[in-house]
Amino acid sequence: CNRKGKTPRRLPPKKASNSQKDPVGVYCRVRPLGAEDEECCIEVISNTTIQLHAPDGLKANRNGEFKETQYSFKKVFGIKTTQGELFEDVAKPLVEDIIHCKNGLLFTYGVTGSGKTHTMTGSPGQGGLLPRSLDMIFNSIGPYQAKRYVFKPDDKNGMEVQNQVDALLDRQKRDSQTTVPKTPTTRRIDPEFADMISPEEACKADGVDEDSSYSVFVSYIEIYNNYIYDLLEETPIDPIKPKPPQSKILREDQNHNMYVAGCTEVEVKSTEEAFEVFWRGQKKRRIANTQLNRESSRSHSVFIIKLAQAPLDADGDNVLQDKNQVNVSQLCLVDLAGSERTSRTRAEGSRLREAGNINQSLMTLRTCIEVLRENQMCGTNKMVPYRDSKVTHLFKNYFDGEGKVRMVVCVNPKADDYEETLLVMRFAEMTQEVEVARPVDRPICGFAAGRRQRNQAFKEELTRRLEERGGPLDGESPTVLNQLLQSFPPLPPCEISGPNDDVTLPRLIEALEKRHKIRQMMIEEYNKTANMLKSVLQEQDSNLLSKENFIQEQRGKLGEKDKMLQNQKNEIDRLEKKSKMLEYKIDILQKTTNIYEEDKRSLQHELESREQRLQREMSEKRRMEARMQGIVTDSKLKWEKECERRVNAKQLEMQNKLWVKDEKLKQLKAIVTEGKTENRQPQRPSREKDKVPAKRSASPSPVPTGPPVRPLHRRSHSAGGERWVDHKPNTNVDLDTVLQPNLPNAIKVNAPSEKALSKCDKYVLTHQEVASDGEIQTKLIKGEVFKTRGGGQAVQFTDIETLKQENPVAASRKRRSSETGPDGEPKEGDWTDVETRCSVAVEMRAGSNLGPGYQHHGYPKRRKP
Ligand code: ADP
Ligand code: MG
């Protein structure tokens, strides 16, 4: 407790620090139709929902526009709902709140004639929410009300506590003004508002703090054309020249609550008194409306019930003299102007502007609600245009700060109102979505509870004790002072009979002395009691102080914990948001991953198939390569062989040609040399001769006579004579001829081999060919074998024997043709023919690997690496 002396701690500012919010409570009341045969367009379908039916005329005109026709509210009150039932649900919680230091705002909204005033004010026998609220307040705080003027409103929407003396003086001043009737004693109630509430309907709030003192203040204002008028202001009414009422302005107090500056606040002590004040304002309103030609349905009326409460002091006797301990809560009861549009008001001329302004206020209210809703729902921070109208400006703190807000939407089910009612419903539905901070609980004051009761008990005890000293006189009220006075011995008659009266005075003196003695005694006793009480109180006070300190400490801790909790909550919120975001991100990433994985899988699949294909192609390629390699090697080998063969053939051919030429040359040479010698004989005639024995027989020695051409080179003859290589190719045909060359000791070969050649010195080739006459002709080509310088063997052909078989029929012809030469010599053709044959024979060998030409010239068999 931040306490100075015995003053309990300051109350914290009333500004909302509560994060809890409640939606604006919207209730719907359907009034009965004026006449039973009227068309009804509203149906209550449950205790929270109504259904709107478009009237027949409208339905026909605008098809399909009125589809959404159900509206839900916190509660719907049908035509049979009584004022008491409505109060029970709608206003009672607000009254409970005001008693527990929480503000409340209750307004009725609807089209003119929909029952707003009926709901708020009511009529005799059917009191509305306003008289019932007042009644409940007084029922609840009745016994705990402070004396009048103990609470005194300052001019800044605050409340001061006056000391007893000032309050008493104010009371005396009021009493002297006869205009104000003494409320508690007078029970004459204006018949206009009699029976607003019957005693059996009275209700009471629970949990009223009886250690507090209460006072109710009411004010009543009207907002017309966006001007505020004080309906309780005491102004002399001049019936001849009525003074136009002065408008008031709005101010903001230190708690940021809006208030009407300089507005009359009347302290009332009972329901009747309060309602009387209200009625006074109502009357004034009516008069002003008639005087100024205004339409009352166009104005908003605001009745404010302010409840001031302050704790009793430690003695429980008086209200604590501390302004900061005063708590003021208020309940605003607002009867709004008709919500209908200007066109419906039949406003003309000068009234049009006013009507427009009134609508403007309601329009601002609608806009404010819309913006509030948007801000709350979307988390935006749009400015709410409270200041655009007095009504909304006045209620700013209810929506911005804290306090319960409730609205009764009044509807008339008649068809004429249908379109307006639709607008009302839409506004009402929207209003339900606005949230208002929940008011926080009033902090507990620092004093011990039960002070009022203890004080009362003390007072009773004192009275009892004083009574013991002498009962009160008849007719006198048993006040403490009277009791004290009565406890003194009565004064003797103090009328002095004459100058010599010496009895009266001494008797008076004696009596006074006696009284003085008693007084002294009483003072002593009083002091003793007072001291005792003081010490008890001090003890209690110190107890209290320590308890307060403890409480304060705990409160501090609680505050810290609260703060920590709040921080943690914020952190949790933040983390939750973050986690949500991350979850969202994860989700997206998961999806992306899935897509990628899918991609990967398909790519892998493709890769695999491509690899397989590649493998296949590779193996195919390898196979092809191997095949190609094989083909290449084969063809290379073939071509190598072929090339070799061709080269060899060519070489052989060339050699043979060379050899033939050589041979010719040699023969020519021989001829030339033969002519010089005695045994000169041309080669040709020898040939000629050769032919002849072939016809006769095979010559026993095919070797021509005469010495060898080159004896030096000749192989030495063995003892057995010459050794022959008898070369008979396999192609030869056995002709079964009689004359066969007889070659003893010959080595028979079908292809000339070097080995054979090296062993012999003579060579004979048996060559068969078809002659020009078609007969097979066998030639024996003879030669001598020589060793070449390179180590090979060479054959020098020396002789050719021709063996010819002849068909006896064709023989003559053949012979004739051969003998047709001019000088008996064989024709050049023959010579050429042999030459060619020989060449061919040799060529035939050349086709084989070891052709004779090759051998003859003794080239060693050589292969390239
Ligand atoms: P508003 O204030 O909305 O213009 P009023 O409260 O003046 O409307 O109502 C117009 C008339 O309808 C009054 O005569 C009133 O008695 C009557 N009325 C309104 N609501 C009800 C109701 N719920 N039950 C009975 N009569 C009603
Ligand atoms: Mg009205």
Side-chain angles (χ1 to χ4, degrees):
C1 271
N2 187 13
R3 189 175 132 155
K4 268 191 212 153
K6 284 186 181 178
T7 315
R9 66 180 200 93
R10 267 167 176 265
L11 291 178
K14 265 183 83 182
K15 195 80 190 145
S17 56
N18 199 348
S19 55
Q20 277 179 303
K21 287 189 160 195
D22 292 312
V24 172
V26 178
Y27 301 84
C28 178
R29 186 183 204 186
V30 186
R31 62 157 280 184
L33 280 168
E36 271 179 33
D37 56 345
E38 258 188 302
E39 191 189 349
C40 177
C41 62
I42 294 172
E43 188 190 334
V44 178
I45 57 173
S46 79
N47 61 354
T48 54
T49 310
I50 61 163
Q51 172 113 40
L52 260 70
H53 307 283
D56 295 337
L58 267 174
K59 257 189 226 160
N61 289 344
R62 308 185 194 177
N63 229 356
E65 203 188 304
F66 306 104
K67 271 181 185 166
E68 206 69 39
T69 48
Q70 282 194 3
Y71 295 92
S72 290
F73 303 96
K74 197 164 178 185
K75 200 158 182 186
V76 170
F77 299 97
I79 50 169
K80 292 204 176 88
T81 312
T82 64
Q83 300 279 59
E85 283 162 8
L86 188 81
F87 174 79
E88 198 60 38
D89 276 327
V90 180
K92 201 174 167 185
L94 292 176
V95 175
E96 269 165 0
D97 273 3
I98 186 183
I99 288 167
H100 295 109
C101 302
K102 294 168 189 173
N103 294 337
L105 169 65
L106 172 63
F107 56 93
T108 52
Y109 184 91
V111 178
T112 299
S114 59
K116 296 186 298 294
T117 308
H118 176 78
T119 298
M120 194 53 89
T121 312
S123 50
Q126 281 194 299
L129 300 175
L130 190 147
R132 281 169 200 274
S133 299
L134 285 170
D135 195 48
M136 183 173 165
I137 291 171
F138 285 107
N139 281 337
S140 310
I141 62 159
Y144 317 124
Q145 284 194 73
K147 285 208 172 86
R148 208 181 288 269
Y149 303 126
V150 167
F151 289 104
K152 194 179 184 187
D154 62 11
D155 52 358
K156 295 181 199 75
N157 205 32
M159 203 61 84
E160 278 168 353
V161 189
Q162 290 206 101
N163 61 44
Q164 298 280 11
V165 179
D166 288 343
L168 186 72
L169 283 171
D170 277 358
R171 278 200 296 275
Q172 281 176 348
K173 211 166 98 188
R174 177 184 184 261
D175 287 347
S176 64
Q177 291 167 343
T178 46
T179 45
V180 185
K182 266 196 163 183
T183 318
T185 45
T186 53
R187 299 271 322 162
R188 42 174 195 85
I189 295 168
D190 197 321
E192 259 194 296
F193 56 85
D195 293 330
M196 278 305 210
I197 17 157
S198 56
E200 59 267 21
E201 279 183 310
C203 52
K204 207 174 157 185
D206 297 322
V208 180
D209 179 15
E210 53 180 56
D211 286 321
S212 286
S213 226
Y214 302 84
S215 261
V216 178
F217 295 83
V218 294
S219 35
Y220 192 18
I221 58 166
E222 180 181 38
I223 302 173
Y224 187 91
N225 201 19
N226 214 23
Y227 285 109
I228 300 172
Y229 301 104
D230 183 357
L231 292 175
L232 301 182
E233 204 170 26
E234 301 272 357
T235 43
I237 301 161
D238 190 341
I240 300 149
K241 197 183 166 224
K243 220 175 96 187
Q246 291 293 299
S247 66
K248 302 279 176 192
I249 57 158
L250 287 175
R251 285 226 178 99
E252 193 178 316
D253 70 9
Q254 57 177 8
N255 295 324
H256 309 289
N257 288 315
M258 297 308 298
Y259 70 99
V260 181
C263 182
T264 313
E265 287 175 284
V266 182
E267 187 175 10
V268 285
K269 292 289 163 204
S270 70
T271 313
E272 292 77 16
E273 191 190 348
F275 203 73
E276 203 182 274
V277 171
F278 167 75
W279 212 250
R280 211 167 71 220
Q282 194 78 341
K283 266 187 190 163
K284 199 176 165 190
R285 186 182 171 198
R286 241 179 279 160
I287 293 165
N289 281 343
T290 16
Q291 279 181 349
L292 300 168
N293 194 21
R294 303 194 305 207
E295 218 179 293
S296 71
S297 67
R298 308 283 87 216
S299 72
H300 317 277
S301 76
V302 184
F303 188 75
I304 302 164
I305 307 170
K306 241 184 202 178
L307 181 69
Q309 50 186 299
L312 290 173
D313 59 13
D315 296 345
D317 194 15
N318 290 310
V319 178
L320 191 76
Q321 299 281 307
D322 181 1
K323 193 184 175 181
N324 296 316
Q325 286 292 320
V326 181
N327 213 307
V328 183
S329 43
Q330 64 176 38
L331 173 62
C332 269
L333 301 170
V334 187
D335 188 356
L336 285 173
S339 68
E340 61 274 3
R341 286 166 290 190
T342 328
S343 61
R344 203 175 164 276
T345 65
R346 299 172 301 276
E348 288 155 4
S350 66
R351 279 195 189 178
L352 195 68
R353 195 176 56 87
E354 299 162 8
N357 268 327
I358 290 153
N359 265 353
Q360 190 61 49
S361 303
L362 287 180
M363 200 136 91
T364 309
L365 177 66
R366 285 192 282 264
T367 313
C368 288
I369 295 280
E370 250 169 65
V371 174
L372 271 169
R373 176 169 152 265
E374 197 190 320
N375 281 348
Q376 288 173 3
M377 287 183 135
C378 314
T380 50
N381 201 11
K382 262 189 175 173
M383 203 199 58
V384 185
Y386 294 116
R387 286 163 189 272
D388 287 4
S389 88
K390 292 282 190 290
V391 177
T392 49
H393 200 186
L394 184 61
F395 301 146
K396 174 177 174 285
N397 199 249
Y398 283 100
F399 291 104
D400 252 11
E402 60 174 65
K404 232 175 234 167
V405 180
R406 291 191 166 189
M407 174 166 91
V408 182
V409 176
C410 298
V411 281
N412 190 343
K414 69 174 178 180
D416 289 353
D417 279 4
Y418 177 76
E419 278 187 89
E420 293 295 344
T421 304
L422 261 181
L423 297 177
V424 170
M425 289 298 134
R426 281 176 200 157
F427 169 68
E429 278 219 314
M430 188 174 67
T431 308
Q432 293 190 97
E433 287 170 359
V434 172
E435 289 189 326
V436 174
R438 188 182 292 175
V440 284
D441 278 327
R442 184 175 67 122
I444 328 134
C445 96
F447 293 122
R451 302 190 297 284
R452 187 186 291 275
Q453 268 188 356
R454 272 203 302 278
N455 182 256
Q456 231 144 33
F458 171 72
K459 273 184 182 166
E460 274 163 21
E461 178 62 21
L462 193 67
T463 316
R464 197 183 53 75
R465 284 200 195 175
L466 289 172
E467 267 171 2
E468 276 172 8
R469 298 171 196 276
L473 293 173
D474 283 347
E476 272 190 356
S477 57
T479 60
V480 176
L481 195 69
N482 284 343
Q483 279 170 4
L484 276 169
L485 284 172
Q486 283 153 22
S487 64
F488 291 121
L491 286 176
C494 42
E495 213 171 280
I496 296 163
S497 49
N500 296 326
D501 187 355
D502 51 356
V503 183
T504 312
L505 274 175
R507 213 188 289 157
L508 193 67
I509 288 165
E510 193 190 345
L512 282 172
E513 268 173 355
K514 225 175 182 176
R515 274 194 172 204
H516 180 72
K517 237 163 104 186
I518 292 171
R519 190 168 167 260
Q520 217 65 44
M521 261 167 61
M522 279 177 79
I523 284 169
E524 259 171 50
E525 202 179 319
Y526 178 82
N527 280 344
K528 242 160 77 187
T529 321
N531 282 341
M532 195 185 75
L533 228 111
K534 222 176 181 175
S535 65
V536 169
L537 279 175
Q538 265 164 3
E539 201 180 303
Q540 282 193 350
D541 223 39
S542 65
N543 266 355
L544 265 173
L545 193 66
S546 66
K547 276 189 186 147
E548 263 167 25
N549 284 339
F550 179 71
I551 286 169
Q552 188 56 29
E553 222 172 79
Q554 294 296 322
R555 214 171 259 153
K557 278 183 193 168
L558 210 73
E560 266 168 37
K561 288 256 163 74
D562 264 359
K563 227 183 259 171
M564 226 162 75
L565 221 71
Q566 192 57 42
N567 284 348
Q568 280 174 356
K569 224 165 130 187
N570 290 345
E571 183 66 14
I572 286 169
D573 277 0
R574 198 180 60 79
L575 288 174
E576 258 172 17
K577 258 185 212 160
K578 205 170 148 187
S579 99
K580 250 187 213 152
M581 215 178 69
L582 286 175
E583 263 168 27
Y584 179 68
K585 269 189 188 169
I586 286 170
D587 209 41
I588 286 175
L589 285 175
Q590 197 73 50
K591 275 179 193 161
T592 319
T593 311
N594 283 351
I595 290 169
Y596 279 141
E597 259 169 20
E598 196 66 41
D599 268 10
K600 194 181 137 192
R601 264 201 296 280
S602 68
L603 284 173
Q604 247 167 8
H605 196 73
E606 203 180 328
L607 192 77
E608 269 165 28
S609 65
R610 283 197 185 188
E611 255 171 19
Q612 272 174 11
R613 220 162 63 200
L614 199 76
Q615 212 73 40
R616 267 206 311 275
E617 278 169 10
M618 285 274 276
S619 64
E620 186 75 21
K621 204 177 129 194
R622 269 200 296 276
R623 237 185 5 253
M624 280 287 282
E625 245 174 35
R627 221 166 60 206
M628 290 314 285
Q629 201 76 45
I631 291 170
V632 165
T633 344
D634 276 4
S635 53
K636 197 174 144 198
L637 227 83
K638 216 167 89 188
W639 280 107
E640 259 176 15
K641 269 184 199 165
E642 180 64 19
C643 283
E644 214 169 84
R645 190 185 62 77
R646 283 189 192 175
V647 165
N648 287 344
K650 206 73 192 167
Q651 260 180 2
L652 205 61
E653 189 193 324
M654 297 315 284
Q655 273 170 13
N656 280 343
K657 271 185 187 166
L658 205 75
W659 179 74
V660 169
K661 281 205 177 116
D662 222 34
E663 192 63 24
K664 270 189 200 169
L665 217 71
K666 260 187 244 168
Q667 281 174 359
L668 215 69
K669 208 174 157 189
I671 293 166
V672 171
T673 40
E674 223 173 273
K676 279 178 195 173
T677 57
E678 51 185 16
N679 204 13
R680 180 179 290 193
Q681 206 170 17
Q683 281 293 172
R684 235 171 346 197
S686 89
R687 259 173 233 249
E688 192 68 31
K689 260 202 273 176
D690 281 345
K691 267 185 203 170
V692 178
K695 273 179 213 165
R696 296 171 318 225
S697 64
S699 66
S701 164
V703 184
T705 52
V709 182
R710 268 167 280 183
L712 271 177
H713 296 280
R714 234 180 114 172
R715 211 177 278 276
S716 61
H717 290 207
S718 62
E722 290 154 340
R723 203 153 173 214
W724 291 85
V725 172
D726 186 9
H727 180 194
K728 268 186 190 147
N730 286 339
T731 48
N732 283 7
V733 187
D734 197 359
L735 293 170
D736 205 16
T737 34
V738 181
L739 293 172
Q740 292 278 345
N742 182 22
L743 299 173
N745 234 353
I747 298 169
K748 284 189 175 145
V749 290
N750 45 26
S753 73
E754 206 174 348
K755 199 179 158 198
L757 284 172
S758 62
K759 287 179 183 161
C760 304
D761 41 12
K762 291 269 183 185
Y763 172 86
V764 62
L765 166 69
T766 311
H767 174 63
Q768 287 181 338
E769 60 186 10
V770 179
S772 52
D773 52 7
E775 293 294 339
I776 290 174
Q777 188 177 295
T778 306
K779 280 182 182 172
L780 299 173
I781 302 159
K782 293 178 244 169
E784 284 176 21
V785 178
F786 293 98
K787 269 191 179 159
T788 59
R789 238 171 286 149
Q793 317 293 327
V795 175
Q796 191 178 11
F797 291 94
T798 50
D799 197 16
I800 299 171
E801 275 180 44
T802 307
L803 307 173
K804 201 170 176 184
Q805 284 170 312
E806 236 175 43
N807 190 330
V809 186
S812 60
R813 188 175 47 91
K814 182 109 191 170
R815 202 181 294 130
R816 203 175 40 239
S817 77
S818 66
E819 284 170 358
T820 45
D823 46 5
E825 281 180 14
K827 279 189 178 167
E828 196 58 40
D830 266 346
W831 173 247
T832 315
D833 191 54
V834 169
E835 203 181 90
T836 313
R837 292 298 156 193
C838 187
S839 147
V840 167
V842 172
E843 228 169 61
M844 277 165 74
R845 297 289 158 326
S848 71
N849 271 340
L850 297 162
Y854 189 85
Q855 296 290 345
H856 297 170
H857 288 274
Y859 291 111
K861 192 176 155 192
R862 217 175 284 144
R863 260 180 207 277
K864 279 186 180 172

